[in-house]
Amino acid sequence: MVRGATATLVIVLLVVFSGCLGGGGVATDPAPTPTEPPSTTATSSPTDATATGDVSVEVVEVVDGDTIKVVMPDGARETVRLLGVDTPEVYGENTPGEFEGVPDTDEGIACLRDAGHDASDFAKDRLSGKTVELRFDEKAGERGYYGRLLAYVVVDGSEFNYELLTDGHARFYESSLEERERYERAERDARERGVGLWACATEGSAAGGSDASTDDGFSVTIVADAPGNDNDNLNEEYVTFRNDGDEVLDLSGWTVSDAAGATYTFAEGTELAPGGVLRLHTGSGTDSAEDVYWGRSGAVWNNGGDTITVRDASGETVLSYTYE
């Protein structure tokens, strides 16, 4: 059970990202780094792996945060471009306009370069010398424009592409893939928290936003000012709950209230897994494991300032803070 909330206000920032391919080579795979020319050598085909969904490979080189080189089961070497993610460049120039909210200034460019090195170091730490699994995506295809494999990389049971997004090391690379919705949410959450490369940003794509957390890793972020008229865009006014603790949080019967006393109660069986994210949208929709809907007919959270209070099923306050 989470106790002892310590609220900390931060400015929340927001943005978008990553790679695709078609069987014949659709030009949606991001350009290779300057040190990696387009593939021209004969390589092995992952057709059998696509049928099963996974193939185990050995990582022999981490090129940067989103590109690795591997040895396939038949001994052939392949370059793999991680699907759905785009980390800042460490070899070429970065374009701040690709990372929402990052200013197109010398400072913004320098900040992205540092973030690119951080992403590369993170990838080397997680993947270098490891045996990992490649998972392919039917919507994206197997190869990109430059002949590189496009895949999700699974290491130690964790989807590394998704880790890059949740830790703020990458933006979501706009493309057609099965994980699109989940990846968009992960990037948006990282932007809201201002972690990783998003610390380089100066503004979010949705106005407003505040963050508070407890000593046990339970945190709350509010996007109070939805784009346009809040009352016409209720589902873009939302509260994000995140569990950075080590245990599953049972939110059954927990409540969320504003200063005026408007209260939402989580349904029985609602849980938040370690590393999990759950959004409470003001408007209506179909509840899922990652999004729930208040069903209100008007906006709840005041753009100019409000107080959010989260209480557990027994009525004890878990977290309370005021944003301005």
Side-chain angles (χ1 to χ4, degrees), residues 189-276:
D189 180 67
R191 281 191 280 120
E192 290 170 2
R193 291 182 288 124
V195 298
L197 72 88
W198 305 119
C200 302
T202 57
E203 60 186 35
S205 62
S210 304
D211 181 71
S213 61
T214 70
D215 295 336
D216 293 329
F218 175 70
S219 64
V220 173
T221 299
I222 298 178
V223 174
D225 191 359
N229 186 317
D230 290 4
N231 290 314
D232 294 334
N233 198 8
L234 294 175
N235 285 337
E236 288 303 315
E237 178 188 87
Y238 55 89
V239 182
T240 300
F241 304 91
R242 183 178 179 88
N243 177 16
D244 287 318
D246 298 324
E247 299 181 0
V248 173
L249 289 178
D250 183 359
L251 301 182
S252 302
W254 283 35
T255 61
V256 182
S257 304
D258 71 346
T263 301
Y264 172 84
T265 303
F266 285 103
E268 191 68 28
T270 304
E271 294 184 338
L272 190 55

Side-chain angles (χ1 to χ4, degrees), residues 128-311:
S128 291
K130 294 285 190 70
T131 296
V132 303
E133 289 187 342
L134 302 183
R135 182 165 64 84
F136 301 95
D137 190 304
E138 290 186 3
K139 289 185 178 180
E142 294 175 0
R143 293 187 185 276
Y145 184 79
Y146 295 99
R148 298 177 295 183
L149 293 180
L150 302 180
Y152 303 104
V153 174
V154 179
V155 56
D156 299 329
S158 178
E159 193 174 285
F160 182 70
N161 310 45
Y162 189 70
E163 286 184 25
L164 286 171
L165 291 172
T166 57
D167 289 355
H169 289 302
R171 69 180 178 109
F172 170 67
Y173 185 77
E174 194 71 22
S175 55
S176 176
L177 63 155
E178 294 172 355
E179 296 285 6
R180 180 189 180 98
E181 186 174 341
R182 186 166 72 103
Y183 276 26
E184 286 179 330
R185 286 199 197 95
E187 187 221 66
R188 184 173 59 184
D189 180 67
R191 281 191 280 120
E192 290 170 2
R193 291 182 288 124
V195 298
L197 72 88
W198 305 119
C200 302
T202 57
E203 60 186 35
S205 62
S210 304
D211 181 71
S213 61
T214 70
D215 295 336
D216 293 329
F218 175 70
S219 64
V220 173
T221 299
I222 298 178
V223 174
D225 191 359
N229 186 317
D230 290 4
N231 290 314
D232 294 334
N233 198 8
L234 294 175
N235 285 337
E236 288 303 315
E237 178 188 87
Y238 55 89
V239 182
T240 300
F241 304 91
R242 183 178 179 88
N243 177 16
D244 287 318
D246 298 324
E247 299 181 0
V248 173
L249 289 178
D250 183 359
L251 301 182
S252 302
W254 283 35
T255 61
V256 182
S257 304
D258 71 346
T263 301
Y264 172 84
T265 303
F266 285 103
E268 191 68 28
T270 304
E271 294 184 338
L272 190 55
V277 172
L278 178 65
R279 287 184 179 82
L280 169 60
H281 301 269
T282 299
S284 299
T286 302
D287 289 352
S288 68
E290 296 181 331
D291 294 275
V292 294
Y293 297 85
W294 199 324
R296 302 275 299 189
S297 59
V300 173
W301 307 107
N302 294 323
N303 297 343
D306 210 333
T307 298
I308 179 171
T309 302
V310 179
R311 296 183 175 88

